[in-house]
Amino acid sequence: QVQLVESGGGLVQAGGSLRLSCAASGSIFSGNTMGWYRQAPGKQRELVAFITSDYSTMYADSVKGRFTISRDNAKNTVYLQMNSLKPEDTAVYFCNHRRFDGAEYWGQGTQVTVSS
């Protein structure tokens, strides 16, 4: 089992910044991928970004150039730096951990609200 604890959400004005953190604990193995998803009210959960254990990254088109995902393998922590936030970024953000064997784990979610 892997436990994920997120932090860093909150309320920010449009154009502002927030940094989300997600600390993983438990059965952590090398070769995992960590990522962030978000779900706005009435919408499906969507991928925001992910980062592999060798630091390859991928971003949704809607956040490219504004969000940066990073990780600290020594701390088993993934970060999402969100700049130039827009009201449409408002959602619950979920941390995701995918192990080398395909097992997948989710955090409890953290609310990000961007006011116009």
Side-chain angles (χ1 to χ4, degrees):
Q1 291 290 324
V2 174
Q3 294 77 44
L4 303 173
V5 178
E6 299 139 336
S7 60
L11 173 64
V12 65
Q13 288 188 332
S17 298
L18 283 174
R19 188 192 194 207
L20 306 183
S21 300
C22 174
S25 61
S27 300
I28 308 296
F29 300 95
S30 60
N32 62 74
T33 295
M34 296 190 75
W36 291 94
Y37 288 70
R38 67 186 182 186
Q39 188 167 18
K43 294 188 176 181
Q44 290 188 332
R45 190 173 297 189
E46 63 177 4
L47 175 67
V48 176
F50 70 76
I51 183 167
T52 66
S53 57
D54 60 356
Y55 304 100
S56 295
T57 59
M58 193 282 281
Y59 296 91
D61 288 343
S62 59
V63 306
K64 281 181 181 176
R66 301 187 298 122
F67 291 11
T68 302
I69 191 169
S70 61
R71 64 188 291 166
D72 183 335
N73 286 339
K75 296 181 179 180
N76 293 318
T77 299
V78 64
Y79 306 95
L80 186 68
Q81 178 66 44
M82 305 185 293
N83 298 329
S84 302
L85 282 161
K86 305 175 181 180
E88 51 263 44
D89 294 318
T90 295
V92 178
Y93 284 69
F94 296 90
C95 178
N96 174 272
H97 178 99
R98 184 172 300 175
R99 288 194 333 196
F100 72 97
D101 59 0
E104 199 166 22
Y105 301 90
W106 294 91
Q108 79 284 359
T110 185
Q111 177 71 46
V112 171
T113 302
V114 184
S115 63
S116 57

